[in-house]
Amino acid sequence: MTQSIDDRLAELGLTLPEAAAPVAAYVPTVIHGGLLHISGQLPFQDGALMTGRVGADRDIPFAQEAAKRCAMMLLAQARRALEGDLSRIERIVKLGVFVNSDPGFTDQAKVANGASELMIDVLGEPGRHARSAVGVAVLPLGAVVEIDAIIAVR
């Protein structure tokens, strides 16, 4: 990608949030062996956690927006871990997407696209990644989506 990530975010009208502090006994990021591992991030909109269960009280567009907001928080965590230098990102290697799902809901992949498409929009080809998208019975604090990441860095 020849355009800077910060310039691309601005072009898309996106502002990264402040990187969230951990809510339990873990660290938000670990860099090891050229990989940045980012702990699961939750979705916030206007300072409030996006909660609910897809297929019960939340629909796919709401959950896709939540996944997009998780992806933005992943980038915010990367910015903090990389001391403000997002140009050190070489590639998004993998996203793990966990969707708080009603037992009959089977479109987790559509929800995960909210995050995947954001990474591609912001990073271009280096944003394309491997991915897991799984339905779970509950997430921390009742969040509708949680996403973790592995990112190759220089």
Side-chain angles (χ1 to χ4, degrees), residues 51-63 99-108 111 135-138 142-144:
T51 62
R53 179 173 294 242
V54 188
D57 61 341
R58 297 298 184 186
D59 61 14
I60 291 173
F62 179 89
V99 181
N100 187 346
S101 301
D102 186 72
F105 182 77
T106 60
D107 282 328
Q108 288 80 9
V111 171
V136 297
V138 67
V144 67

Side-chain angles (χ1 to χ4, degrees), residues 15-101:
T15 302
L16 295 183
E18 287 296 317
V23 298
Y26 63 91
V27 295
T29 60
V30 171
I31 298 176
H32 184 76
L35 295 175
L36 169 61
H37 297 262
I38 304 177
S39 297
Q41 300 298 303
L42 302 179
F44 290 89
Q45 185 172 41
D46 301 324
L49 180 64
M50 298 174 75
T51 62
R53 179 173 294 242
V54 188
D57 61 341
R58 297 298 184 186
D59 61 14
I60 291 173
F62 179 89
Q64 287 172 325
E65 179 64 24
K68 176 181 175 179
R69 290 179 180 275
C70 287
M72 291 174 63
M73 187 61 77
L74 289 166
L75 290 173
Q77 293 289 1
R79 174 178 275 157
R80 177 183 282 168
L82 299 171
E83 300 174 344
D85 187 3
L86 289 174
S87 71
R88 290 180 56 197
I89 294 175
E90 290 182 341
R91 177 172 202 96
I92 306 299
V93 176
K94 184 170 185 194
L95 296 181
V97 181
F98 305 91
V99 181
N100 187 346
S101 301

